[in-house]
Amino acid sequence: MKKHVARQAAVYLILIAAAIFALYPVVYSFFLSVMKPEEASAFPPSIVPHSFNPANFIDVFGIVPIAAFIGNTFLVSGIVMIGQLITASLAAYAFAKMDFKGKGFIFSLFVASMMVPWEVTMIPNYLTVRSLNWLDTYQGLTVPFLATAFGTFLLRQFFLQLPKELFEAARMDGCGHIRYFLLHVLPLSRPAIGTLAVYSFLNTYNSYLWPLLITNSEMMRTVQIGISMLEFQESTSWNLVFAGITLVILPSLLLLVFGLKQLVRGMSAGALKG
């Protein structure tokens, strides 16, 4: 009995240490965001703040249009999320519930495309966007990401778990593919759809390289690019930089906290059947 309690205590201690190790960068970013300039740039750095200066957040709004950047990023992330949900769910339904020639081969190509790094396709995508005159536009920021092989794969795995008897009963009741998809498959697949929604939103919200590549004007910049505008060549106020970072990561942290249960449920459900 004592060995069991000691083992459990050791496991909890290891988990607490791992949690502190994982969360400390986020917590330290918040500590730096409320420090005064001289304390934030002191060496050796302070582990915990000795001052509390929330005016840093107000100063950030005065230096860069951070609210416009956050709104811009939310708009782009929302469009990409909705686009991926529509295209991935339709493609996943076709692969899971419909029979057509070459289905296995086409799906293999879908899965194989997940192995191609994004950096390999970045230049061809840039040339395509430029030829369409979509540089520095919302179309250029969103259209290349409206379809996702990962989302199709995730939803297909979930759709395969739906019982065939349900589809046969719906067909006997006069239900076609469109009605069955809208009235039965989508409502029953809320965990997987919620997972894809959270994943695609956060992935777009945190993207940096593509918005940096195709946007030029300040009003089209996303928030990840806007943070770099808080750094200056002459000197950098790290308290202001980290105040901006805290403002940026706050929405994604809240979304992750409230969507984590849905994310885990969807991931585990999609992994049950291949």
Side-chain angles (χ1 to χ4, degrees), residues 139-154:
Q139 298 96 303
L141 285 169
T142 57
V143 171
F145 305 98
L146 293 182
T148 165
F150 169 75
T152 304
F153 176 76
L154 176 71

